């Protein structure tokens, strides 16, 4: 267990001042997610342009530092990616959060990888994994245009 | 009363939890178990096991007697008039579902109103919601005041000519408010209204006297009362339990079964269908003995001291905001810290071995009312000390430090 690893400065900073905590104007994809155990909820908005590239991503919701930081970092780095790239990044991230020691996706640059790796501390806190993953599952659901709310079961 | 001595009766406090001494402040969720309860389960399974009420062999008869002994102990402990007013269930949740279901089958009619409060745990709301769906009853909510209390006046205000039933918690698992159940019951009965009490938080911490309280039903959760999981008690006035239909059908609850007709058994078997949580029931007798050996007056005094101490500590701690400030308060300290989400608080406190709960504590209605998604909750039991609360405060300070507050 290592609290310092979990609550790194960058997570605290994103948790406190989340990027993209708003509703994208003219969004064309969105989905809601919630964590029934904690009552945390998130609403992810995406705006894809004609080339199916994410022009803007944002979210609304409330949650712990981990979930806010995760949604903040996610919405930041997903901009400029297309659906295929975004989904590969999601897979990569979920794999890292659960077991993989590092991120492999070619669609992530070093800076993005470093940021995301800050969230790897939750691995040691099984009850908190879903805090980190909720917004990511919700984003996939938005791409897939699922109307059902995402519920995290880790 | 020597708390150190009492604490020694709980084996868990000999354990190191992630290299820390355990500071257990989650008793409102579930209490720890004294050794005599744990040992009793083991002893029953290793030396005395048999199913109850089914066979005539020696072990079955002995087990049946032990099982029924607990019923008598519970009756005495809560001062019920009759042994048959005690029904074992799988928990308080099942007890409340039993009441709602059977009253729904044979008593409540379309358009009838059930009055509950904003403090209720989901298990004292959802079962009534089922009836809202299936029978078109209406559910009204008595509202909390500034202090997080439900007053007699508020209940009186919310009673209408259609109110048939009031279902309330004895002690809020979030604000700690102790409701004036006796007065509410008197008022309700004067208007022909039934009273159901969710006694989950009341039973482990307050003096129980069903004849004095006067309510029609009272639900108890044994695992919060220094007893085993998988067990609850429903107290119900005999006239109700006799009048209402059975809840579940199966073995043990019948009198006679024919192809064209079935008659049901007498109390208490009528409500105890199937093989019950035998070992747990038998071990629960030891939980009652444990509480009796300390004396409920002593329990109440000790816990009141702890709450007062904890409340003062947290009130003095900047950026900690206590939820509710009821005059009559049980051993629950719910709080938020400006700028730190309750889950982060709980994770950080856990690192110091301080076990609290974070979330909505199955009270979403209340959290919506307070306009917060979640809260952190420290709750005490007989084994807690002022040092535990000092540690709580210190770990909260550490949490603030991590978050640069
Ligand atoms: C106020 C209240 N009611 C009901 C319950 C449910 O009790 P049980 O776990 O015995 O079903 C709880 C416990 O979580 C509670 O605190």
């Amino acid at each position: 267990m290592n609290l310092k690893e979990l609550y790194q400065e960058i997570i605290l900073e994103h948790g406190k001042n989340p990027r993209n905590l708003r509703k994208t104007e003219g969004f064309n994809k969105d989905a809601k997610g919630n964590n029934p155990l904690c009552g945390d909820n998130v609403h992810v908005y995406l705006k894809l342009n004609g080339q199916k590239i994410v022009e803007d991503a944002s979210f609304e919701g409330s949650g712990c530092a981990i979930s806010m930081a995760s949604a903040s970092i996610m919405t930041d780095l997903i901009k400029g990616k297309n659906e295929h790239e975004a989904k590969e990044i999601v897979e990569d991230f979920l794999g890292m959060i659960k077991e993989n020691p590092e991120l492999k996706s070619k669609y992530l640059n070093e800076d993005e990888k470093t940021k995301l790796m800050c969230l790897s501390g939750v691995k040691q806190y099984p009850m908190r994994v879903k805090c980190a993953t909720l917004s990511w599952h919700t984003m996939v659901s938005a791409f897939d245009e699922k109307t059902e709310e995402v519920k995290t079961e880790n | 009363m020597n708390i150190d001595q009492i604490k020694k009766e709980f084996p868990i406090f000999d354990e190191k939890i992630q290299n820390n001494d355990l500071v257990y402040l989650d008793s409102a969720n579930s209490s720890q178990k004294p050794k005599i309860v744990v040992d009793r389960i083991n002893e029953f399974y290793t030396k005395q096991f048999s199913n109850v009420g089914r066979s005539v062999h020696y072990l079955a008869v002995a087990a049946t007697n032990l099982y029924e002994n607990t019923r008598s102990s519970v009756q005495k402990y809560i001062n019920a008039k009759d042994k048959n007013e005690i029904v074992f269930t799988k928990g308080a949740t099942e007890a409340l579902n039993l009441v709602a279901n059977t009253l729904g089958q044979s008593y409540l009619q379309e358009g009838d109103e059930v009055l509950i409060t904003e403090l209720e745990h989901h298990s004292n709301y959802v079962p009534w919601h089922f009836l809202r769906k299936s029978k078109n009853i209406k559910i009204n909510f008595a509202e909390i005041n500034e202090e997080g209390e439900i007053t007699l006046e508020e209940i009186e205000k919310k009673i209408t000519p259609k109110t048939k039933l009031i279902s309330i918690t004895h002690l809020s698992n979030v604000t700690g408010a102790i409701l004036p159940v006796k007065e509410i019951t008197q008022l309700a009965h004067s208007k022909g209204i039934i009273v159901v009490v969710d006694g989950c938080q009341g039973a482990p911490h307050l003096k129980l006297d069903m004849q004095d309280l006067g309510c029609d039903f009272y639900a108890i959760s044994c695992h919060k009362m220094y007893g085993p999981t998988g067990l609850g008690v429903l107290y119900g006035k005999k006239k109700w339990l006799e009048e209402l239909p059975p809840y579940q059908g199966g073995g043990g609850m019948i009198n006679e079964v024919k192809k064209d007709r079935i008659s049901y058994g007498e109390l208490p078997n009528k409500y105890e269908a199937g093989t019950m949580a035998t070992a747990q029931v038998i071990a629960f007798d030891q939980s009652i003995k444990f509480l009796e050996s300390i004396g409920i007056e002593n329990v109440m005094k000790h816990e009141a001291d702890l709450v007062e101490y904890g409340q003062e500590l947290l009130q003095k701690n900047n950026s900690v905001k206590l939820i509710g400030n009821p005059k009559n308060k049980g051993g629950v300290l719910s709080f938020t810290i400006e700028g730190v989400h309750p889950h982060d608080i709980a994770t950080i406190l856990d690192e110091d071995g301080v076990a609290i709960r974070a979330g909505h504590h199955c009270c979403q209605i209340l959290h919506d009312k307070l306009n917060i998604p979640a809260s952190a909750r420290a709750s005490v039991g007989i084994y807690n000390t002022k040092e535990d609360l000092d540690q709580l405060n210190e770990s909260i300070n550490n949490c603030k430090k991590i978050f640069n507050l």
Side-chain angles (χ1 to χ4, degrees):
Chain A
M1 288 278 184
N2 190 343
L3 268 191
K4 290 232 167 59
E5 221 171 274
L6 185 62
Y7 292 104
Q8 296 181 37
E9 209 41 56
I10 180 160
I11 291 185
L12 294 175
E13 207 277 312
H14 273 267
K16 210 177 211 170
N17 306 303
R19 320 292 190 269
N20 314 308
L21 182 63
R22 56 185 164 78
K23 185 172 174 177
T24 298
E25 255 181 58
F27 68 90
N28 42 26
K29 304 221 178 222
D30 75 309
K32 285 185 192 173
N34 96 48
N35 183 340
L37 217 63
C38 332
D40 290 353
N41 58 74
V42 65
H43 195 156
V44 172
Y45 303 94
L46 301 172
K47 185 179 180 186
L48 275 58
N49 67 15
Q51 284 77 50
K52 302 267 182 220
I53 288 172
V54 179
E55 212 172 87
D56 189 35
S58 64
F59 73 104
E60 289 178 320
S62 69
C64 61
I66 311 292
S67 69
M68 297 304 272
S70 186
S72 170
I73 296 171
M74 175 190 86
T75 44
D76 246 2
L77 64 74
I78 224 66
K79 287 179 211 167
K81 311 279 195 293
N82 66 29
E83 176 171 344
H84 168 77
E85 291 165 346
K87 282 188 171 170
E88 187 186 300
I89 293 170
V90 173
E91 280 310 304
D92 200 21
F93 174 75
L94 295 179
M96 183 276 286
I97 281 294
K98 281 172 193 146
E99 53 201 1
N100 301 341
E102 57 197 31
L103 292 157
K104 302 184 201 83
S105 174
K106 59 179 177 295
Y107 302 119
L108 289 168
N109 64 35
E110 282 314 308
D111 180 50
E112 291 167 338
K113 281 184 183 164
T114 310
K115 273 201 192 124
L116 284 181
M117 284 309 288
C118 291
L119 287 158
S120 67
V122 300
K123 243 185 246 168
Q124 297 167 51
Y125 298 83
M127 292 295 288
R128 305 302 300 277
V129 166
K130 56 190 181 309
C131 305
T133 57
L134 177 62
S135 54
W136 296 76
H137 288 299
T138 307
M139 181 172 72
V140 171
S141 173
F143 274 120
D144 295 345
E145 300 189 342
K146 294 224 174 93
T147 46
E148 236 173 77
E149 221 171 74
V150 175
K151 297 220 165 45
T152 47
E153 306 297 344
N154 276 336
Chain B
M1 186 175 49
N2 184 340
I3 296 300
D4 291 337
Q5 210 58 44
I6 290 172
K7 200 163 178 167
K8 284 207 181 79
E9 295 183 39
F10 289 77
I12 192 129
F13 295 112
D14 296 336
E15 299 293 312
K16 288 279 178 215
I17 310 297
Q18 300 187 86
N19 298 322
N20 285 303
D21 286 334
L22 173 62
V23 176
Y24 190 75
L25 292 169
D26 199 18
S27 295
N29 185 350
S30 197
S31 69
Q32 293 298 342
K33 317 303 172 201
K35 185 162 187 297
I36 46 167
V37 172
V38 181
D39 286 350
R40 191 67 191 89
I41 291 177
N42 187 33
E43 188 190 15
F44 175 66
Y45 277 131
T46 48
K47 299 190 179 146
Q48 302 172 307
F49 181 76
S50 168
N51 206 343
V52 301
R54 310 253 157 127
S55 310
V56 294
H57 59 77
Y58 177 84
L59 284 175
V61 173
T64 306
N65 287 338
L66 290 167
Y67 184 93
E68 290 303 320
N69 271 348
T70 303
R71 200 189 305 278
S72 300
S73 300
V74 173
Q75 180 209 340
K76 263 193 256 139
Y77 190 75
I78 70 173
N79 193 29
K81 209 184 236 163
D82 194 301
K83 183 171 178 274
N84 288 336
E85 296 182 320
I86 310 301
V87 176
F88 291 113
T89 62
K90 87 168 170 67
T93 301
E94 190 182 53
L96 291 165
N97 275 277
L98 187 163
V99 175
N101 177 289
T102 56
L103 284 169
Q105 283 186 57
S106 68
Y107 184 77
L108 296 171
Q109 305 290 330
E110 180 168 343
D112 284 351
E113 294 181 7
V114 166
L115 175 58
I116 66 172
T117 82
E118 290 176 339
L119 291 176
E120 298 316 311
H121 188 279
H122 296 162
S123 63
N124 194 23
Y125 173 30
V126 184
W128 306 112
H129 169 74
F130 288 166
L131 296 183
R132 182 161 64 185
K133 287 273 171 206
S134 66
K135 294 218 66 157
N136 249 330
I137 65 151
K138 189 171 168 223
I139 300 174
N140 294 319
F141 291 86
E143 293 179 37
I144 54 165
N145 61 15
E146 287 284 302
E147 320 295 340
E149 302 168 307
I150 296 285
T151 62
L152 181 63
E153 294 68 39
E154 169 63 13
I155 295 281
E156 188 159 21
K157 218 170 76 190
K158 289 286 156 71
I159 291 176
T160 78
K162 287 191 173 163
T163 307
K164 283 283 158 51
L165 181 144
I166 298 178
S167 194
I168 49 172
T169 186
H170 198 173
L171 195 168
S172 162
N173 62 323
V174 179
T175 69
I178 297 171
L179 273 63
V181 171
K182 186 175 170 179
E183 291 73 17
I184 291 172
T185 303
Q186 283 167 349
L187 171 70
H189 283 174
S190 76
K191 296 172 187 282
I193 299 167
I194 307 174
V195 177
V196 181
V197 180
D198 174 353
C200 278
Q201 301 296 336
H205 309 291
L206 302 174
K207 185 174 166 61
L208 296 185
D209 184 335
M210 290 305 127
Q211 295 183 63
D212 181 57
L213 217 50
C215 58
D216 299 279
F217 298 95
Y218 194 96
I220 294 174
S221 175
C222 299
H223 69 88
K224 297 182 202 282
M225 214 174 155
Y226 311 105
T229 52
L231 187 64
V233 169
L234 173 67
Y235 159 81
K237 276 196 180 147
K238 201 169 165 192
K239 95 174 164 64
W240 283 116
L241 293 181
E242 280 176 348
E243 208 172 284
L244 292 171
Y247 175 50
Q248 292 184 333
M253 53 73 72
I254 44 80
N255 175 33
E256 200 181 35
V257 176
K258 299 289 175 197
K259 278 192 173 162
D260 58 348
R261 70 194 135 84
I262 292 173
S263 60
Y264 309 128
E266 303 273 308
L267 290 177
N269 301 343
K270 177 178 166 187
Y271 289 104
E272 294 181 0
T275 295
M276 300 292 287
T278 316
Q280 290 92 321
V281 169
I282 290 168
F284 187 56
D285 203 28
Q286 301 300 317
S287 310
I288 292 175
K289 287 209 170 76
F290 168 77
L291 278 165
E292 282 174 340
S293 73
I294 300 168
I296 191 70
E297 274 80 12
N298 292 326
V299 172
M300 287 164 68
K301 168 91 180 48
H302 175 62
E303 293 177 352
D305 286 349
L306 285 177
V307 179
E308 200 186 315
Y309 183 78
Q311 216 169 351
E312 260 175 41
L313 266 184
L314 297 189
Q315 268 161 358
K316 274 190 273 182
N317 195 326
N318 292 336
S319 54
V320 173
K321 194 164 164 272
L322 279 164
I323 295 171
N325 185 26
K327 278 188 272 312
N328 229 341
K329 183 172 166 76
V332 184
L333 296 163
S334 295
F335 60 95
T336 52
I337 301 178
E338 182 81 43
V340 192
H341 191 279
H343 291 135
D344 296 317
I345 303 174
T347 295
I348 291 168
L349 266 53
D350 183 48
E351 201 78 355
D352 295 334
V354 179
I356 63 158
R357 184 162 172 195
H360 52 54
H361 322 298
C362 302
C363 293
Q364 254 186 311
I365 300 288
L366 178 63
H367 282 79
D368 284 351
K369 170 82 173 211
L370 298 169
N371 213 2
I372 48 175
S375 59
R377 178 185 74 188
S379 54
V380 301
I382 186 64
Y383 31 64
N384 288 116
T385 60
K386 291 187 176 163
E387 288 73 45
D388 290 342
L389 296 166
D390 289 335
Q391 180 61 56
L392 168 71
N393 197 42
E394 206 173 294
S395 298
I396 288 176
N397 287 337
N398 178 37
C399 174
K400 284 161 52 180
K401 202 151 53 182
I402 290 178
F403 274 76
N404 300 318
L405 294 176

